[in-house]
Amino acid sequence: MLPKRIGIDLGTANVLVYVKGQGIVVDEPAVVALAIRDNTVVAVGKDARDMMGRTPDTISVIRPMKDGVIADYLITEAMLRYFLKRVVGRLNIIKPEVMICIPAGVTSVERRAVADAAEQAGARRPVSLVEEPLAAAIGARIPVGTPSGNMVVDIGGGRTEAAVISMYGIVVCESARVAGDRMDDAITAYVKRRHNLLIGERTAEEVKIAIGSAIPLEEEITMEVRGRDQVSGLPRPVTLTSNEITQALQDTLASILQTVRSVLERTPPELAADVIDRGLVLTGGGSMLRYLDVLLTQETGVPCHLADNPLQCTAVGTGVALEHLDVIQRSQQTEEESLVASA
Ligand code: ADP
Ligand code: MG
Protein backbone atom coordinates (compact mmCIF):
# COMPACT_ATOMS: atom_id res chain seq x y z
CA MET A 1 0.00 0.00 0.00
CA LEU A 2 1.29 3.44 -0.87
CA PRO A 3 1.44 5.93 1.99
CA LYS A 4 -0.29 9.10 0.93
CA ARG A 5 0.30 11.48 3.81
CA ILE A 6 3.68 11.91 5.38
CA GLY A 7 5.33 14.26 7.83
CA ILE A 8 8.99 15.18 7.38
CA ASP A 9 11.33 16.64 9.97
CA LEU A 10 14.13 18.14 7.89
CA GLY A 11 16.57 18.83 10.69
CA THR A 12 20.08 20.18 10.64
CA ALA A 13 21.37 16.92 12.08
CA ASN A 14 18.72 14.32 11.22
CA VAL A 15 15.96 13.74 8.71
CA LEU A 16 12.93 11.81 9.95
CA VAL A 17 9.89 10.68 8.03
CA TYR A 18 6.63 9.76 9.77
CA VAL A 19 3.83 7.86 8.09
CA LYS A 20 0.45 7.50 9.77
CA GLY A 21 -0.13 3.94 10.88
CA GLN A 22 3.53 3.05 10.40
CA GLY A 23 5.27 5.55 12.65
CA ILE A 24 8.82 6.69 11.94
CA VAL A 25 9.97 5.02 8.73
CA VAL A 26 13.15 7.03 8.07
CA ASP A 27 15.56 8.23 10.75
CA GLU A 28 18.91 9.13 9.23
CA PRO A 29 21.61 11.78 9.52
CA ALA A 30 21.15 14.75 7.15
CA VAL A 31 24.37 13.97 5.30
CA VAL A 32 25.11 13.42 1.60
CA ALA A 33 28.31 12.15 -0.03
CA LEU A 34 29.03 13.40 -3.54
CA ALA A 35 31.54 12.43 -6.23
CA ILE A 36 33.28 15.72 -6.97
CA ARG A 37 33.93 14.91 -10.65
CA ASP A 38 30.32 14.87 -11.76
CA ASN A 39 28.37 15.80 -8.61
CA THR A 40 26.61 12.44 -8.45
CA VAL A 41 25.28 11.22 -5.11
CA VAL A 42 27.46 8.44 -3.69
CA ALA A 43 25.63 7.89 -0.40
CA VAL A 44 22.91 9.46 1.77
CA GLY A 45 22.22 9.25 5.50
CA LYS A 46 24.13 6.88 7.80
CA ASP A 47 26.36 5.58 5.01
CA ALA A 48 27.37 9.14 4.11
CA ARG A 49 27.96 10.08 7.74
CA ASP A 50 30.31 7.13 8.18
CA MET A 51 32.45 8.72 5.46
CA MET A 52 32.72 12.11 7.23
CA GLY A 53 36.35 13.16 7.55
CA ARG A 54 37.43 9.86 5.97
CA THR A 55 37.11 10.40 2.21
CA PRO A 56 39.71 10.81 -0.53
CA ASP A 57 39.78 14.11 -2.44
CA THR A 58 37.40 12.75 -5.06
CA ILE A 59 34.46 12.55 -2.66
CA SER A 60 33.00 15.31 -0.53
CA VAL A 61 30.66 14.73 2.37
CA ILE A 62 28.16 17.52 2.88
CA ARG A 63 25.54 18.49 5.44
CA PRO A 64 23.12 20.47 3.27
CA MET A 65 21.23 21.97 6.23
CA LYS A 66 22.85 24.51 8.50
CA ASP A 67 21.39 26.36 11.49
CA GLY A 68 17.95 24.92 10.70
CA VAL A 69 17.80 26.22 7.13
CA ILE A 70 18.86 25.03 3.70
CA ALA A 71 22.52 25.78 3.06
CA ASP A 72 22.75 23.86 -0.23
CA TYR A 73 19.48 23.75 -2.13
CA LEU A 74 20.26 21.14 -4.79
CA ILE A 75 21.77 18.69 -2.33
CA THR A 76 18.82 19.12 0.05
CA GLU A 77 16.50 18.35 -2.84
CA ALA A 78 18.52 15.26 -3.79
CA MET A 79 18.46 14.08 -0.18
CA LEU A 80 14.69 14.57 0.09
CA ARG A 81 14.13 12.77 -3.20
CA TYR A 82 16.19 9.82 -1.96
CA PHE A 83 14.19 9.50 1.28
CA LEU A 84 10.80 10.10 -0.39
CA LYS A 85 11.56 7.38 -2.93
CA ARG A 86 12.45 4.99 -0.20
CA VAL A 87 9.13 5.62 1.54
CA VAL A 88 6.78 5.95 -1.40
CA GLY A 89 8.42 3.97 -4.17
CA ARG A 90 8.01 5.34 -7.69
CA LEU A 91 7.28 9.02 -7.18
CA ASN A 92 5.99 9.76 -10.66
CA ILE A 93 2.89 7.59 -10.19
CA ILE A 94 1.33 8.82 -6.94
CA LYS A 95 2.80 11.87 -5.26
CA PRO A 96 2.55 11.88 -1.48
CA GLU A 97 0.90 14.68 0.48
CA VAL A 98 3.68 16.13 2.58
CA MET A 99 3.95 18.33 5.62
CA ILE A 100 7.38 19.62 6.65
CA CYS A 101 8.30 21.48 9.78
CA ILE A 102 10.39 24.64 9.64
CA PRO A 103 11.98 26.65 12.45
CA ALA A 104 9.76 29.45 13.73
CA GLY A 105 12.53 32.01 13.45
CA VAL A 106 13.24 31.87 9.72
CA THR A 107 12.39 34.19 6.84
CA SER A 108 9.62 33.62 4.30
CA VAL A 109 12.29 33.05 1.64
CA GLU A 110 13.82 30.30 3.75
CA ARG A 111 10.38 28.70 4.25
CA ARG A 112 9.61 28.89 0.58
CA ALA A 113 12.93 27.18 -0.20
CA VAL A 114 11.98 24.19 1.98
CA ALA A 115 8.57 23.82 0.31
CA ASP A 116 10.12 24.20 -3.16
CA ALA A 117 12.81 21.62 -2.45
CA ALA A 118 10.19 19.10 -1.31
CA GLU A 119 7.98 19.75 -4.34
CA GLN A 120 10.95 19.40 -6.68
CA ALA A 121 11.86 16.19 -4.87
CA GLY A 122 8.48 14.66 -5.67
CA ALA A 123 5.95 15.81 -3.06
CA ARG A 124 2.47 16.79 -4.16
CA ARG A 125 1.82 20.53 -4.45
CA PRO A 126 1.22 22.40 -2.25
CA VAL A 127 3.52 21.15 0.47
CA SER A 128 2.28 22.27 3.91
CA LEU A 129 4.56 23.81 6.48
CA VAL A 130 4.25 23.77 10.25
CA GLU A 131 6.42 25.62 12.71
CA GLU A 132 8.77 23.35 14.61
CA PRO A 133 7.89 24.33 18.18
CA LEU A 134 4.24 23.53 17.46
CA ALA A 135 5.15 20.19 15.84
CA ALA A 136 7.50 19.35 18.71
CA ALA A 137 4.80 20.15 21.27
CA ILE A 138 2.19 18.05 19.46
CA GLY A 139 4.67 15.16 19.23
CA ALA A 140 5.44 15.48 22.95
CA ARG A 141 1.66 15.15 23.57
CA ILE A 142 1.37 18.59 25.13
CA PRO A 143 -2.29 19.76 25.01
CA VAL A 144 -1.56 22.67 22.64
CA GLY A 145 -5.19 22.98 21.55
CA THR A 146 -6.32 24.28 24.94
CA PRO A 147 -6.41 27.95 25.98
CA SER A 148 -3.46 27.59 28.34
CA GLY A 149 0.24 28.35 28.29
CA ASN A 150 2.34 25.42 27.12
CA MET A 151 6.06 25.90 26.76
CA VAL A 152 8.42 23.82 24.67
CA VAL A 153 12.15 24.20 24.12
CA ASP A 154 13.59 22.35 21.15
CA ILE A 155 17.37 22.02 21.08
CA GLY A 156 18.41 20.42 17.81
CA GLY A 157 21.68 20.34 15.91
CA GLY A 158 21.59 23.84 14.49
CA ARG A 159 19.01 25.76 16.47
CA THR A 160 17.39 26.25 19.82
CA GLU A 161 13.78 27.33 19.65
CA ALA A 162 11.77 28.19 22.73
CA ALA A 163 8.06 28.94 22.44
CA VAL A 164 4.89 29.34 24.44
CA ILE A 165 1.89 27.88 22.65
CA SER A 166 -1.83 28.29 23.30
CA MET A 167 -4.74 27.12 21.11
CA TYR A 168 -2.41 25.82 18.36
CA GLY A 169 -0.81 29.24 18.09
CA ILE A 170 2.69 30.39 19.00
CA VAL A 171 2.30 33.29 21.43
CA VAL A 172 5.96 34.03 22.15
CA CYS A 173 8.98 32.51 20.45
CA GLU A 174 12.76 32.92 20.47
CA SER A 175 15.09 31.24 18.03
CA ALA A 176 18.88 31.10 18.30
CA ARG A 177 21.48 29.49 16.08
CA VAL A 178 23.07 27.77 19.03
CA ALA A 179 22.48 24.08 19.75
CA GLY A 180 24.18 20.66 19.46
CA ASP A 181 26.56 21.62 16.64
CA ARG A 182 27.85 24.57 18.63
CA MET A 183 28.52 22.27 21.56
CA ASP A 184 30.64 20.09 19.25
CA ASP A 185 32.53 23.15 17.96
CA ALA A 186 33.15 24.32 21.52
CA ILE A 187 34.61 20.91 22.44
CA THR A 188 36.85 20.93 19.35
CA ALA A 189 38.08 24.44 20.17
CA TYR A 190 38.69 23.52 23.81
CA VAL A 191 40.72 20.39 22.99
CA LYS A 192 42.76 22.38 20.51
CA ARG A 193 43.46 25.18 22.96
CA ARG A 194 43.99 23.12 26.10
CA HIS A 195 45.61 19.97 24.71
CA ASN A 196 47.09 21.18 21.40
CA LEU A 197 45.18 18.43 19.67
CA LEU A 198 43.04 18.57 16.56
CA ILE A 199 39.99 16.31 16.68
CA GLY A 200 37.30 15.69 14.07
CA GLU A 201 33.66 16.75 14.11
CA ARG A 202 32.41 13.23 14.82
CA THR A 203 34.87 12.68 17.66
CA ALA A 204 33.72 15.92 19.29
CA GLU A 205 30.11 14.75 19.09
CA GLU A 206 31.04 11.37 20.57
CA VAL A 207 32.77 13.09 23.47
CA LYS A 208 29.73 15.28 24.10
CA ILE A 209 27.37 12.31 24.17
CA ALA A 210 29.68 10.01 26.14
CA ILE A 211 30.94 12.35 28.88
CA GLY A 212 29.37 15.78 28.34
CA SER A 213 27.35 17.26 31.18
CA ALA A 214 25.60 20.58 31.72
CA ILE A 215 26.65 20.68 35.37
CA PRO A 216 29.87 19.29 36.89
CA LEU A 217 29.56 15.62 37.90
CA GLU A 218 30.38 14.53 41.41
CA GLU A 219 32.00 11.43 40.06
CA GLU A 220 33.87 12.49 36.98
CA ILE A 221 33.89 10.25 33.94
CA THR A 222 36.62 10.20 31.33
CA MET A 223 37.14 9.28 27.72
CA GLU A 224 40.25 8.75 25.63
CA VAL A 225 40.22 10.37 22.22
CA ARG A 226 42.72 10.43 19.39
CA GLY A 227 43.61 13.38 17.26
CA ARG A 228 46.53 15.05 15.54
CA ASP A 229 49.08 16.95 17.58
CA GLN A 230 49.18 20.58 16.44
CA VAL A 231 52.92 20.89 16.94
CA SER A 232 54.37 17.55 15.86
CA GLY A 233 51.60 16.80 13.39
CA LEU A 234 51.53 13.22 14.62
CA PRO A 235 48.56 11.24 15.97
CA ARG A 236 48.30 11.19 19.76
CA PRO A 237 45.70 10.16 22.37
CA VAL A 238 44.45 12.33 25.22
CA THR A 239 42.11 11.57 28.12
CA LEU A 240 39.30 14.09 28.58
CA THR A 241 37.21 14.45 31.71
CA SER A 242 33.51 15.29 32.01
CA ASN A 243 34.26 18.40 34.04
CA GLU A 244 36.55 19.80 31.34
CA ILE A 245 33.72 19.33 28.86
CA THR A 246 31.27 21.11 31.18
CA GLN A 247 33.72 23.99 31.23
CA ALA A 248 34.09 23.94 27.44
CA LEU A 249 30.30 24.13 27.06
CA GLN A 250 29.79 27.16 29.34
CA ASP A 251 29.26 29.79 26.63
CA THR A 252 26.99 27.58 24.55
CA LEU A 253 24.88 26.70 27.57
CA ALA A 254 24.64 30.38 28.54
CA SER A 255 23.23 31.21 25.08
CA ILE A 256 20.66 28.43 25.31
CA LEU A 257 19.66 29.61 28.77
CA GLN A 258 19.33 33.18 27.52
CA THR A 259 16.97 32.06 24.75
CA VAL A 260 14.72 30.29 27.29
CA ARG A 261 14.82 33.25 29.66
CA SER A 262 13.85 35.81 27.06
CA VAL A 263 10.74 33.81 26.17
CA LEU A 264 9.76 33.59 29.84
CA GLU A 265 10.28 37.33 30.19
CA ARG A 266 7.97 38.10 27.28
CA THR A 267 5.19 35.65 28.18
CA PRO A 268 1.89 37.32 29.18
CA PRO A 269 1.12 36.84 32.92
CA GLU A 270 -1.80 34.37 32.64
CA LEU A 271 0.18 32.11 30.36
CA ALA A 272 3.33 32.50 32.47
CA ALA A 273 1.34 31.25 35.46
CA ASP A 274 0.37 28.13 33.46
CA VAL A 275 3.98 27.55 32.44
CA ILE A 276 5.17 27.74 36.03
CA ASP A 277 2.46 25.25 37.07
CA ARG A 278 3.06 22.76 34.29
CA GLY A 279 6.73 23.28 33.65
CA LEU A 280 8.31 23.27 30.22
CA VAL A 281 9.09 20.35 27.96
CA LEU A 282 12.48 19.83 26.32
CA THR A 283 12.69 18.21 22.88
CA GLY A 284 15.44 17.70 20.29
CA GLY A 285 18.65 15.69 20.59
CA GLY A 286 20.61 18.56 22.13
CA SER A 287 18.34 18.53 25.17
CA MET A 288 19.62 15.02 25.96
CA LEU A 289 22.91 16.46 27.19
CA ARG A 290 23.37 15.12 30.72
CA TYR A 291 21.67 17.28 33.37
CA LEU A 292 20.64 20.01 30.93
CA ASP A 293 17.09 19.71 32.32
CA VAL A 294 18.47 20.17 35.84
CA LEU A 295 20.54 23.21 34.83
CA LEU A 296 17.58 24.88 33.12
CA THR A 297 15.31 24.15 36.09
CA GLN A 298 17.89 25.65 38.48
CA GLU A 299 18.51 28.74 36.39
CA THR A 300 14.93 29.60 35.40
CA GLY A 301 12.97 28.38 38.42
CA VAL A 302 10.56 26.62 36.04
CA PRO A 303 10.47 22.80 36.21
CA CYS A 304 11.93 21.42 32.97
CA HIS A 305 11.07 17.90 31.77
CA LEU A 306 12.73 15.97 28.99
CA ALA A 307 10.16 14.64 26.47
CA ASP A 308 9.78 10.86 26.21
CA ASN A 309 11.42 10.63 22.83
CA PRO A 310 13.29 13.90 22.29
CA LEU A 311 14.80 12.93 18.92
CA GLN A 312 11.53 11.86 17.34
CA CYS A 313 8.75 14.08 18.73
CA THR A 314 9.01 16.78 16.08
CA ALA A 315 8.63 14.25 13.26
CA VAL A 316 5.68 12.55 14.96
CA GLY A 317 4.10 15.94 15.64
CA THR A 318 4.55 17.00 12.01
CA GLY A 319 2.76 13.88 10.83
CA VAL A 320 -0.03 14.35 13.35
CA ALA A 321 -0.33 18.05 12.40
CA LEU A 322 -1.03 16.95 8.83
CA GLU A 323 -3.96 14.89 10.10
CA HIS A 324 -5.37 17.97 11.82
CA LEU A 325 -4.53 20.46 9.12
CA ASP A 326 -8.03 21.97 9.06
CA VAL A 327 -8.20 22.56 12.80
CA ILE A 328 -4.72 24.00 12.91
CA GLN A 329 -5.22 26.25 9.91
CA ARG A 330 -8.58 27.49 11.21
CA SER A 331 -7.08 28.41 14.55
CA GLN A 332 -4.36 30.34 12.74
CA GLN A 333 -6.64 32.48 10.62
CA THR A 334 -6.81 35.32 13.09
CA GLU A 335 -3.04 35.41 13.40
CA GLU A 336 -1.20 37.94 11.33
CA GLU A 337 1.11 35.31 10.03
CA SER A 338 -0.33 31.90 9.34
CA LEU A 339 1.58 29.26 11.29
CA VAL A 340 0.65 26.46 9.04
CA ALA A 341 0.99 28.14 5.72
CA SER A 342 0.09 26.24 2.63
CA ALA A 343 3.07 27.20 0.60
P1 ADP B 1 17.91 18.50 14.28
O1 ADP B 1 16.45 18.62 14.54
O2 ADP B 1 18.61 19.81 14.13
O3 ADP B 1 18.23 17.55 13.17
P2 ADP B 1 18.09 16.63 16.48
O4 ADP B 1 16.91 16.96 17.31
O5 ADP B 1 18.02 15.42 15.62
O6 ADP B 1 18.54 17.89 15.60
O7 ADP B 1 19.34 16.54 17.48
C1 ADP B 1 20.63 16.36 16.99
C2 ADP B 1 21.62 16.87 17.99
O8 ADP B 1 21.45 16.17 19.21
C3 ADP B 1 23.06 16.63 17.56
O9 ADP B 1 23.82 17.80 17.81
C4 ADP B 1 23.49 15.49 18.46
O10 ADP B 1 24.89 15.52 18.73
C5 ADP B 1 22.70 15.77 19.71
N1 ADP B 1 22.54 14.60 20.61
C6 ADP B 1 21.99 13.40 20.31
N2 ADP B 1 22.02 12.59 21.39
C7 ADP B 1 22.61 13.32 22.38
C8 ADP B 1 22.96 13.04 23.76
N3 ADP B 1 22.69 11.85 24.32
N4 ADP B 1 23.55 14.01 24.48
C9 ADP B 1 23.81 15.21 23.93
N5 ADP B 1 23.53 15.54 22.66
C10 ADP B 1 22.93 14.60 21.89
MG1 MG C 1 14.73 19.35 15.05
Side-chain angles (χ1 to χ4, degrees):
M1 199 186 73
L2 290 168
K4 290 198 193 102
R5 306 182 110 190
I6 63 183
I8 301 177
D9 174 4
L10 179 62
T12 309
N14 297 296
V15 180
L16 285 82
V17 178
Y18 173 91
V19 178
K20 197 194 173 193
Q22 296 179 20
I24 304 283
V25 293
V26 170
D27 183 352
E28 299 242 13
V31 183
V32 178
L34 292 174
I36 287 176
R37 213 176 77 184
D38 50 4
N39 266 336
T40 50
V41 174
V42 176
V44 181
K46 289 188 191 81
D47 294 344
R49 192 192 47 187
D50 288 342
M51 298 176 188
M52 266 168 82
R54 294 200 164 98
T55 53
D57 288 345
T58 49
I59 292 176
S60 71
V61 180
I62 292 170
R63 290 178 58 187
M65 303 291 296
K66 192 170 181 349
D67 301 336
V69 296
I70 295 179
D72 189 312
Y73 183 86
L74 289 176
I75 298 177
T76 303
E77 186 194 309
M79 180 172 77
L80 281 173
R81 181 175 300 116
Y82 174 90
F83 290 132
L84 276 175
K85 253 195 192 139
R86 195 202 280 178
V87 174
V88 190
R90 290 168 64 189
L91 285 165
N92 48 354
I93 301 184
I94 300 180
K95 292 191 170 182
E97 193 181 334
V98 170
M99 180 168 246
I100 303 196
C101 58
I102 31 113
V106 302
T107 64
S108 55
V109 175
E110 288 165 335
R111 286 165 190 240
R112 185 65 240 173
V114 170
D116 280 347
E119 286 166 2
Q120 291 297 325
R124 193 189 307 172
R125 286 168 204 276
V127 163
S128 307
L129 302 175
V130 59
E131 289 183 311
E132 256 164 29
L134 183 57
I138 293 172
R141 293 204 219 95
I142 300 172
V144 287
T146 58
S148 57
N150 300 285
M151 183 158 171
V152 56
V153 177
D154 181 83
I155 306 171
R159 248 177 216 268
T160 294
E161 295 214 301
V164 172
I165 300 165
S166 175
M167 300 178 72
Y168 290 115
I170 293 180
V171 183
V172 190
C173 177
E174 278 288 330
S175 187
R177 291 168 181 239
V178 177
D181 290 345
R182 280 289 183 84
M183 297 183 196
D184 302 347
D185 294 346
I187 292 171
T188 307
Y190 173 87
V191 175
K192 189 172 160 191
R193 198 174 60 237
R194 178 73 183 74
H195 299 282
N196 273 320
L197 198 72
L198 300 172
I199 59 169
E201 201 176 321
R202 287 206 62 190
T203 303
E205 184 183 20
E206 282 163 18
V207 169
K208 170 183 70 179
I209 294 174
I211 65 170
S213 174
I215 51 181
L217 300 179
E218 272 176 28
E219 279 190 38
E220 272 198 285
I221 43 180
T222 61
M223 178 178 175
E224 189 187 85
V225 297
R226 281 149 229 274
R228 192 159 56 84
D229 189 284
Q230 270 205 97
V231 182
S232 71
L234 298 174
R236 160 167 81 80
V238 65
T239 299
L240 300 170
T241 69
S242 52
N243 289 358
E244 300 186 79
I245 303 305
T246 305
Q247 200 187 319
L249 296 178
Q250 281 314 301
D251 291 350
T252 315
L253 294 171
S255 302
I256 292 172
L257 182 62
Q258 187 48 45
T259 308
V260 178
R261 274 212 187 108
S262 54
V263 166
L264 289 168
E265 283 162 13
R266 288 169 42 218
T267 304
E270 299 288 1
L271 297 178
D274 295 340
V275 171
I276 291 166
D277 281 350
R278 298 161 180 234
L280 63 82
V281 175
L282 296 168
T283 65
S287 63
M288 292 161 74
L289 180 74
R290 239 180 235 95
Y291 296 125
L292 185 53
D293 52 345
V294 175
L295 177 77
L296 290 174
T297 304
Q298 273 174 10
E299 297 293 322
T300 60
V302 176
C304 301
H305 315 286
L306 192 59
D308 278 346
N309 198 343
L311 282 162
Q312 297 192 335
C313 11
T314 308
V316 174
T318 304
V320 174
L322 186 54
E323 298 302 317
H324 301 288
L325 194 57
D326 306 349
V327 191
I328 294 178
Q329 275 179 341
R330 200 175 327 140
S331 71
Q332 303 312 319
Q333 271 169 8
T334 51
E335 301 268 325
E336 244 177 50
E337 205 183 35
S338 166
L339 288 177
V340 181
S342 271

